[in-house]
Amino acid sequence: MEYPTIEQLHTKLINKEITVADLVAEYVDRAKASDLNAFREIFADTDIAAQVAVAEAMFQQGTATVLTGMPIALKDNILFGGHVVSGSSKMLEHYTASYDATVVAKMKEAGAVIIGRTNMDEFAMGSSTENSAYGPTKNPHDTSKVPGGSSGGSAAAVAAGLCVAAFGSDTGGSIRQPAAFTGIVGLLPTYGSVSRHGLMAMGSSLDVIGPMTHTVGDAKIFYDAFKGKDSYDGTSQEQSIAVSLKKKLAMPKFDKGGIDPEVLSNFEMIVEGLKKEGFTIDEIELPHFADALAVYYILMPAEVSSNLARLDGIRYGDRAESVSINDVYGDTRGALFGPETRRRILVGTYVLSHGYYDAYYNKAVALRATIRKELEQALETYDAILTPTTPTPAFGIGEKVNDPVSMYLSDLFTVPANIAHHPALSVPSGKSAAGLPVGVQFIGARFGEETLFALGKIVEDIR
Amino acid sequence: MSKTLTVEETKRLATLARLTVPEGELEAVSQDIANILGFVDTIQSVQLGDQAADSSNLTNVFREDAVHPLAAAHDLIEVAPLHQDHFVKVPKVIE
């Protein structure tokens, strides 16, 4: 099913062919009728109506932006003041945000209509949404399959036309992998290009908020509306590199044995298509590209174990009835964190503990610097590094949930960009014989999002 | 690389992490963590040259040390599970 783009809808609103109220009602009605479990909550009619009124007023006053009146969704880890935001965890089931994330404040200024919050793996830890405390989200292309994760609710909501665009967050692939699994566009922006203020921290040296949309054009419009420097996030910066395509792309040498044959043949088709468009595509050695996955599964849990220490039954959320303070901490966390969250906290504690710190954490930090240098060097010569987004199309619900390491392997191609702080764009590139979407990924130079959008649009034309 | 983790080691990690793992789950959790550690152990065999620990040329970001009123201060106290007036209630820390 094809859904209209942001520009098409904006034109209709400007020409008064539709009203904001009609547009929002169309998407909200579909969201309410959907049984994908994409939304954790669709906001109250009165709440949505108030936002619609603001948007209508902006059109009347001539202050409307291209996003004014667009029904959008928030991942359940982005704070929206006065609304419950749970991280899809039991821990924060009743937590109401005290303030707006910077990206939410920017959406309010733009007049977008936030219709709900979407399901995700608990605290963004997972690749399938099966780690949500509120049940998995289903893939709209085949409801027996996962939509990917951790931003699986956002991906399914966009893919099924339940919103025009949605926010995701990407720590190791959590925007791009579900985008590929559901046939939509997902961008991991350059680390620091979007404020993390109001995003529930998972791995602070890795987390980035990004757009999930139907088209590359929509991704650009949406991203442009929420990027930028913010005094509340010291790592944020304002930078952008203009597009000047060298028409040269690199593919890292990788072990093709672990890649689904249909993903490979689709990838080869896109490579051939790009060559016909005049691109030179070289297979290059990136000796530590594949090591990024192990580096990621050391650094990320280390950061998780520190960041999630604040969820202790004292400061936020729910709390165990225990008496002594140590029991309140331990019992609250033991009872209210799901299995994967507990695993990552324990692994993070292990790699940071005395006696193992040098062998794991420090080694991973050193390797991270090497991976970063390798990507940087390659991107001096090439416009982007091209890979399949994921090694396989969407897998079955329940298929990998009891085997964490096999689940981690679906992040093979996506984690290097996070590790190196480079932007990466996943674009739908076709479907498997069974009708499941697959995607290709471009990893670009830091702050080179414009180049990625230009490349993504070419894939949209040739796929 | 295969790795093992004893139930005692897992209990020690759980104490450090302030995370109660039910007795019945200790074996399975130990196995899961050992599998994950075995998976990431591949980095031990990667040889690195004389790399600085972090070559990313990062610089610190400072802002002026100034007082700003925070409208949401009371709201931040309110989200604590137990609170009274302007205080978060905690169990007795020193026995």
Side-chain angles (χ1 to χ4, degrees):
Chain A
M1 172 101 195
E2 286 263 323
Y3 295 97
T5 66
I6 292 173
E7 269 182 346
Q8 287 166 346
L9 292 172
H10 180 65
T11 305
K12 283 189 174 178
L13 288 169
I14 287 280
N15 295 339
K16 299 196 165 70
E17 289 168 51
I18 50 168
T19 65
V20 173
D22 292 342
L23 170 64
V24 171
E26 184 190 329
Y27 282 84
V28 169
D29 288 349
R30 269 203 297 267
K32 284 181 177 170
S34 162
D35 55 5
L36 297 169
N37 196 26
F39 280 91
R40 285 278 302 109
E41 181 185 1
I42 297 165
F43 296 136
D45 291 346
T46 49
D47 185 348
I48 293 173
Q51 298 182 63
V52 167
V54 169
E56 299 273 19
M58 287 173 76
F59 275 102
Q60 277 157 19
Q61 289 153 12
T63 54
T65 72
V66 66
L67 284 181
T68 304
M70 295 298 153
I72 62 165
L74 291 177
K75 188 175 176 178
D76 193 19
N77 61 352
I78 297 174
L79 302 196
F80 186 9
H83 295 75
V84 172
V85 186
S86 77
S88 295
S89 174
K90 286 286 173 201
M91 183 69 86
L92 296 179
E93 186 169 5
H94 308 106
Y95 168 74
T96 299
S98 314
Y99 61 95
D100 285 338
T102 297
V103 296
V104 169
K106 290 193 176 205
M107 285 304 108
K108 284 184 174 173
E109 277 166 35
V113 177
I114 303 172
I115 64 167
R117 58 190 166 102
T118 58
N119 196 25
M120 57 187 266
D121 287 296
E122 183 179 26
F123 294 118
M125 288 187 248
S127 310
S128 68
T129 74
E130 291 165 295
N131 296 332
S132 166
Y134 306 93
T137 297
K138 294 168 187 164
N139 191 317
H141 297 270
D142 176 347
T143 52
S144 73
K145 307 286 184 193
V146 303
S150 64
S151 313
S154 287
V158 172
L162 315 184
C163 58
V164 167
F167 281 104
S169 66
D170 192 318
T171 306
S174 281
I175 286 176
R176 292 159 288 156
Q177 185 254 22
F181 278 10
T182 56
I184 65 165
V185 173
L187 172 73
L188 163 75
T190 308
Y191 180 82
S193 62
V194 179
S195 170
R196 286 178 291 118
H197 178 64
L199 171 70
M200 288 180 188
M202 175 188 162
S204 301
S205 82
L206 302 155
D207 297 338
V208 189
I209 296 174
M212 304 179 78
T213 57
H214 293 295
T215 65
V216 173
D218 281 1
K220 177 178 158 49
I221 290 170
F222 191 26
Y223 168 67
D224 282 346
F226 62 78
K227 68 178 182 182
K229 190 171 167 58
D230 176 19
S231 61
Y232 288 119
D233 177 359
T235 62
S236 66
Q237 32 180 325
E238 191 90 54
Q239 273 195 55
S240 177
I241 310 172
V243 187
S244 78
L245 285 183
K246 303 182 192 90
K247 290 217 153 189
K248 287 180 78 174
L249 296 169
M251 316 187 277
K253 277 191 182 143
F254 54 84
D255 175 16
K256 295 191 170 58
I259 315 300
D260 180 275
E262 285 191 285
V263 168
L264 266 187
S265 64
N266 172 270
F267 182 67
E268 279 155 17
M269 180 196 85
I270 295 295
V271 166
E272 289 312 309
L274 286 165
K275 283 180 181 166
K276 278 190 199 131
E277 295 293 313
F279 282 84
T280 308
I281 302 182
D282 297 333
E283 195 169 22
I284 63 165
E285 291 280 356
L286 290 173
H288 297 96
F289 191 81
D291 294 326
L293 196 57
V295 169
Y296 176 73
Y297 278 97
I298 292 170
L299 297 181
M300 175 273 295
E303 296 186 21
V304 162
S305 74
S306 314
N307 273 327
L308 270 56
R310 72 189 186 284
L311 298 165
D312 56 4
I314 304 289
R315 287 168 248 215
Y316 313 89
D318 290 354
R319 127 181 214 160
E321 294 295 322
S322 315
V323 178
S324 85
I325 190 154
N326 280 334
D327 287 347
V328 170
Y329 292 151
D331 295 347
T332 301
R333 292 159 60 78
L336 299 179
F337 283 141
E340 179 64 12
T341 303
R342 284 189 278 157
R343 275 195 286 270
R344 294 197 190 187
I345 290 172
L346 292 171
V347 169
T349 305
Y350 183 95
V351 299
L352 290 176
S353 62
H354 183 70
Y356 299 105
Y357 186 87
D358 279 331
Y360 289 96
Y361 187 78
N362 278 346
K363 182 74 182 268
V365 169
L367 201 45
R368 178 181 200 169
T370 306
I371 293 163
R372 195 179 163 109
K373 211 176 275 174
E374 269 178 24
L375 282 185
E376 236 163 46
Q377 279 170 359
L379 289 162
E380 282 168 16
T381 312
Y382 297 99
D383 293 322
I385 292 162
L386 176 65
T387 72
T389 307
T390 56
T392 66
F395 44 87
I397 292 174
E399 196 180 318
K400 298 185 183 206
V401 73
N402 293 319
D403 183 356
V405 171
S406 129
M407 185 82 86
Y408 295 174
L409 289 172
S410 69
D411 303 338
L412 179 67
F413 293 117
T414 50
V415 292
N418 301 80
I419 289 293
H421 286 176
H422 281 258
L425 180 73
S426 177
V427 189
S429 55
K431 283 186 176 179
S432 71
L436 290 172
V438 292
V440 294
Q441 170 187 242
F442 294 100
I443 304 172
R446 227 162 283 145
F447 297 100
E449 281 81 1
E450 291 298 327
T451 299
L452 297 183
F453 292 138
L455 292 167
K457 283 183 177 163
I458 297 171
V459 170
E460 285 182 330
D461 290 338
I462 63 174
R463 71 186 172 211
Chain B
M1 261 173 269
S2 84
K3 231 177 148 69
T4 54
L5 202 72
T6 65
V7 162
E8 287 311 310
E9 285 174 294
T10 302
K11 277 187 180 168
R12 166 96 185 119
L13 283 180
T15 305
L16 286 172
R18 299 270 191 267
L19 187 66
T20 307
V21 180
E23 281 289 331
E25 294 178 27
L26 278 166
E27 288 273 359
V29 169
S30 304
Q31 188 58 54
D32 281 343
I33 293 170
N35 289 345
I36 294 166
L37 292 172
F39 169 66
V40 300
D41 236 18
T42 50
I43 71 156
Q44 307 302 346
S45 59
V46 179
Q47 297 298 319
L48 291 176
D50 296 333
Q51 303 276 354
D54 189 350
S55 66
S56 53
N57 301 319
L58 298 176
T59 50
N60 283 321
V61 176
F62 294 106
R63 61 169 169 78
E64 204 185 330
D65 185 16
V67 177
H68 297 284
L70 179 63
H74 186 67
D75 298 339
L76 294 173
I77 302 284
E78 292 256 299
V79 294
L82 292 179
H83 57 87
Q84 191 180 324
D85 304 329
H86 295 299
F87 301 99
V88 172
K89 283 173 90 170
V90 294
K92 198 170 169 186
V93 176
I94 301 165
E95 294 295 332

